Amino acid sequence: EDQVTQSPEALRLQEGESSSLNCSYTVSGLRGLFWYRQDPGKGPEFLFTLYSAGEEKEKERLKATLTKKESFLHITAPKPEDSATYLCAAHSGTYKYIFGTGTRLKVLA
Amino acid sequence: EPEVTQTPSHQVTQMGQEVILRCVPISNHLYFYWYRQILGQKVEFLVSFYNNEISEKSEIFDDQFSVERPDGSNFTLKIRSTKLEDSAMYFCASTSDRGYYEQYFGPGTRLTVT
């Protein structure tokens, strides 16, 4: 069964304290791995799409990487405005989009 | 900046009633999606739509659900006979190509079934 698991469920960081969020996936025929940011009461906001193992993408303080089994979202020197829930999703060979439960990130000033 | 819009922002309905949730995708996008998120749970894929027909759907998307693109701008999700468990946030999304480009999500419609 296709599955996406994110860890940790919640993460508290001090401003400037870098860390990584994990997304493990078991998906038949991965067509794309997506990262989104979701603020409370709002829709997910697209961050990155990764298509093949070894691929990396960066945007400001965020960097996403992909292996054959997992993806990481690295946050470098986070700021309080980076506080949000970060969602990972896989687009499978059966053309379904499978989301993880997310990591709730809180960055303290 | 172009954005996906959804109406209404909050819909309250009684069990057994029909509801229609409306979305206006980004104008030059070709693929449209509906997702739902029950409070505190993960985002769940419902259906994708391209060229005026359903291209993929999940097990959640049963006969109680239907989608339509009634004109060149709107994309609707209809729930024929709502159940208590249909209470959730419903998100519409669109993309310029199938899954290989970023999906832009709308702000969502909170559906409350009483």
Side-chain angles (χ1 to χ4, degrees):
Chain A
E1 182 184 342
D2 293 340
Q3 196 168 4
V4 173
T5 303
Q6 291 188 247
S7 62
E9 287 186 12
L11 182 63
R12 290 167 69 95
L13 299 173
Q14 292 293 323
E15 185 172 2
E17 180 187 1
S18 301
S19 188
S20 296
L21 313 183
N22 177 266
C23 171
S24 299
Y25 63 91
T26 307
V27 169
S28 55
L30 182 74
R31 293 175 176 268
L33 189 292
F34 303 85
W35 282 98
Y36 295 90
R37 169 191 171 127
Q38 187 175 28
D39 292 301
K42 296 191 175 181
E45 175 190 345
F46 172 82
L47 293 174
F48 304 107
T49 308
L50 302 165
Y51 298 110
S52 57
E55 190 174 0
E56 299 182 352
K57 288 192 177 172
E58 285 189 70
K59 181 180 179 180
E60 297 179 357
R61 295 178 291 282
L62 301 177
K63 179 180 174 181
T65 62
L66 182 66
T67 72
K68 289 186 178 180
K69 293 183 179 180
E70 55 193 351
S71 178
F72 292 93
L73 184 66
H74 307 278
I75 304 177
T76 302
K79 298 181 178 181
E81 53 261 41
D82 294 323
S83 298
T85 296
Y86 290 85
L87 305 176
C88 167
H91 186 206
S92 76
T94 53
Y95 298 102
K96 303 230 173 90
Y97 295 83
I98 304 142
F99 278 76
T101 51
T103 293
R104 293 188 312 278
L105 174 66
K106 177 74 173 176
V107 181
L108 304 170
Chain B
E1 185 175 325
E3 60 181 13
V4 176
T5 59
Q6 291 185 243
T7 54
S9 57
H10 190 192
Q11 174 89 48
V12 181
T13 189
Q14 289 190 328
M15 195 166 51
Q17 295 296 305
E18 174 184 288
V19 293
I20 298 176
L21 309 183
R22 292 182 168 79
C23 167
V24 179
I26 294 173
S27 61
N28 62 344
H29 282 189
L30 302 176
Y31 292 87
F32 314 114
Y33 309 84
W34 283 102
Y35 295 84
R36 79 174 185 189
Q37 187 174 30
I38 296 170
L39 187 63
Q41 297 187 24
K42 66 170 74 174
V43 174
E44 298 174 293
F45 169 73
L46 295 178
V47 67
S48 61
F49 191 86
Y50 170 71
N51 200 25
N52 282 321
E53 61 182 24
I54 292 173
S55 48
E56 302 139 5
K57 62 181 180 178
S58 72
E59 297 78 14
I60 302 167
F61 194 87
D62 61 20
D63 292 343
Q64 291 298 312
F65 292 89
S66 63
V67 289
E68 191 178 34
R69 188 155 164 81
D71 54 43
S73 59
N74 289 283
F75 179 50
T76 63
L77 174 69
K78 182 193 289 186
I79 309 175
R80 290 193 182 83
S81 178
T82 51
K83 307 182 184 76
L84 294 175
E85 54 265 36
D86 293 327
S87 294
M89 191 75 130
Y90 288 80
F91 294 108
C92 173
S94 69
T95 185
S96 59
D97 200 345
R98 181 191 231 172
Y100 294 91
Y101 297 92
E102 51 264 36
Q103 287 192 3
Y104 290 87
F105 279 73
T109 292
R110 179 166 298 285
L111 177 65
T112 302
V113 182
T114 61

